Amino acid sequence: MTTVAYLRVSTAHQLDGGGLDRQEKCVIAWAKANSQPLPYVYIEPGVSGTLGIEDRTALPELLDALERDEGITHVLVENMDRLARDGLVAELIFSEFEKVRPGVKVISCDTGIDLADVSDPSRKMIRQILGAVAEFNKQQTVMRLRAGRERQRRDT
């Protein structure tokens, strides 16, 4: 049984601001609390959560590992928005997980929810709602940053 983790941050600011450290601590804490081996970590620095699999480097490597290593049973993420910030992209990622490793658990370590579990329709709905919330949060962040830049231009 093997556990892997996927960490992603969008910007250099998040790299410097401890985003990866926070995520790593979260997945390691979950692995220890659940008697899972410490995960091999796939890191996606400076990649938007709105990008698909083909526009990333670490996620395709993780999918290749899932396809090759039958011992991988868990993929850990801090939370849903670290995997994707677009509902459609998230569902495509989950579809790929299911295609290369049916039954793999994708654990949101902050809640303990298996995001890939579709045995109960309400679980899939929760995942899709979390995806919609992640997408909304991304759009809100972009809007606030744009307004801040416009305010700064006006004030200078």
Side-chain angles (χ1 to χ4, degrees):
M1 178 167 44
T2 304
T3 303
V4 297
Y6 179 76
L7 314 180
R8 184 196 61 76
V9 293
S10 300
T11 65
H13 174 71
Q14 288 175 311
L15 285 170
D16 298 336
L20 289 176
D21 291 341
R22 184 197 70 241
Q23 291 177 54
E24 187 172 34
K25 286 177 186 172
C26 184
V27 298
I28 288 172
W30 187 93
K32 285 182 179 179
N34 290 276
S35 302
Q36 292 290 321
L38 292 179
Y40 179 81
V41 179
Y42 292 86
I43 299 174
E44 201 85 74
V47 174
S48 170
T50 61
L51 295 177
I53 297 167
E54 67 281 356
D55 296 315
R56 303 184 191 199
T57 55
L59 189 56
E61 290 173 9
L62 187 155
L63 288 164
D64 286 344
L66 279 175
E67 198 165 27
R68 286 189 323 273
D69 184 350
E70 292 184 17
I72 298 173
T73 57
H74 291 73
V75 175
L76 307 179
V77 294
E78 178 190 31
N79 56 47
M80 178 71 176
D81 68 1
R82 296 300 88 206
L83 194 57
R85 285 221 186 230
D86 178 285
L88 181 58
V89 170
E91 289 305 308
L92 290 171
I93 291 170
F94 284 109
S95 176
E96 282 299 307
F97 281 147
E98 183 62 24
K99 185 165 68 173
V100 299
R101 176 57 51 78
V104 69
K105 295 181 183 302
V106 180
I107 305 295
S108 175
C109 293
D110 64 348
T111 62
I113 293 173
D114 177 3
L115 298 169
D117 181 4
V118 292
S119 62
D120 173 1
S122 63
R123 289 203 179 233
K124 184 174 182 180
M125 181 186 71
I126 289 168
R127 178 178 82 208
Q128 291 173 339
I129 290 169
L130 290 172
V133 169
E135 188 172 344
F136 173 77
N137 287 338
K138 168 70 173 173
Q139 292 168 347
Q140 288 288 95
T141 300
V142 167
M143 189 174 70
R144 284 192 305 270
L145 289 171
R146 185 178 303 126
R149 284 191 300 271
E150 289 172 7
R151 209 172 22 259
Q152 190 176 27
R153 272 194 296 272
R154 278 194 317 266
D155 294 346
T156 56

